Amino acid sequence: MSSSTERRTDGRGRTTGGVLSGLAVAVGCVLFLGGFVWGALTYRPYTVPTDSMTPTISVGARVLAEKVNGSEIRRGDIVVFKDSTWGALPMVKRVVGIGGDKVACCTKQGLLTINGIPVEEPYRQGGGPASPVGFKATVPNGQLFLLGDHRSDSLDSRVHLTDGDQGSVPRSAVEARVDALAWPLGSVGVMQRPAAFSALPGGTSQPGPIQPITLAVVAGTVLILGGAAYGPIARRKGRRRG
């Protein structure tokens, strides 16, 4: 009698390997479906229609944005928001100022300042000044000051400085915070928090659960494929022994 795992049975004619492969498929389905449900409850997909956030997010890129309350937003976050003053459609911009901040541009070195502190912004498009047009604003409490990363081609808080609230939007206007790029494939990845904002009071926000969700989906896929492949492989080995 063979002692191999493939030939042992559980008393009902099923091999140990077959039982384990079935268990792998079952666990894989739980992880795969659970990951997708978790992701659907936590994230929203958005397509960015303009190049105002290049090079960070290119025109037509697909992003995954975590559904969060506006009170959770920190400087440096890229947010999806909708404000009637800005238009009827959701927009994607970077938060550079929060309530109480004095935002200004530019220093002699061409840098943006927040409360007088120069901020390095390596994510910006081009190597020129942080804004082609100088500006300054004091952000009201409960508001956010927003800029695009492509400063010479972005309609943002600078354009709305005279609209009231010095170009800022209320935190309640935020629908979600961009956590990852999902398309194009060459740009897929988790959005990094800018180091320049981490030293300011309040620091930067923490990424959402995009990584464990992705891990669950990938692990589930591997288990499903591996478990499903066991049967044909075991049968092929059995025919060879025969």
Side-chain angles (χ1 to χ4, degrees), residues 46-54 56-57 63 65 73-83 85-87 89-97 121 123 144-160 167-169 173-179 191-192 194 197 205:
Y46 290 90
T47 299
V48 179
T50 71
D51 65 352
S52 68
M53 284 301 296
T54 56
T56 308
I57 306 174
V63 301
I73 300 302
R74 301 288 183 269
R75 302 180 192 88
D77 286 343
I78 297 174
V79 298
V80 181
F81 68 97
K82 187 160 60 176
D83 184 82
T85 304
W86 294 51
L89 298 176
M91 303 186 72
V92 179
K93 303 291 180 187
R94 188 184 296 275
V95 176
V96 299
E121 299 180 281
Y123 47 76
L144 302 170
F145 197 85
L146 306 157
L147 297 177
D149 286 357
H150 192 343
R151 300 287 161 78
S152 62
D153 194 20
S154 175
L155 300 178
D156 47 40
S157 288
R158 295 169 298 170
V159 178
H160 297 278
S168 62
V169 300
V174 173
E175 296 183 352
R177 176 176 55 212
V178 176
D179 234 11
M191 198 69 64
Q192 300 299 315
F197 293 96
S205 64

Side-chain angles (χ1 to χ4, degrees), residues 130-143:
S131 175
V133 178
F135 68 90
K136 60 181 179 179
T138 299
V139 187
N141 290 330
Q143 301 281 119

Side-chain angles (χ1 to χ4, degrees), residues 6-7 15 18 21 227-242:
E6 290 84 356
R7 302 301 295 273
T15 65
S21 69
Y230 171 80
I233 293 174
R235 285 194 294 271
R236 188 176 301 129
K237 286 183 178 179
R239 286 195 296 267
R240 288 176 180 174
R241 291 194 186 98

Side-chain angles (χ1 to χ4, degrees), residues 9-100:
T9 67
D10 64 356
R12 290 174 291 184
R14 294 184 300 176
T15 65
T16 302
V19 172
L20 291 176
S21 69
L23 180 61
V25 171
V27 173
C29 287
V30 171
L31 287 173
F32 185 82
L33 295 175
F36 265 106
V37 171
W38 188 8
L41 293 174
T42 308
Y43 288 94
R44 293 178 183 175
Y46 290 90
T47 299
V48 179
T50 71
D51 65 352
S52 68
M53 284 301 296
T54 56
T56 308
I57 306 174
S58 59
V59 59
R62 194 77 166 169
V63 301
L64 295 178
E66 184 185 8
K67 292 178 276 189
V68 297
N69 188 285
S71 62
E72 301 177 47
I73 300 302
R74 301 288 183 269
R75 302 180 192 88
D77 286 343
I78 297 174
V79 298
V80 181
F81 68 97
K82 187 160 60 176
D83 184 82
S84 58
T85 304
W86 294 51
L89 298 176
M91 303 186 72
V92 179
K93 303 291 180 187
R94 188 184 296 275
V95 176
V96 299
I98 60 176

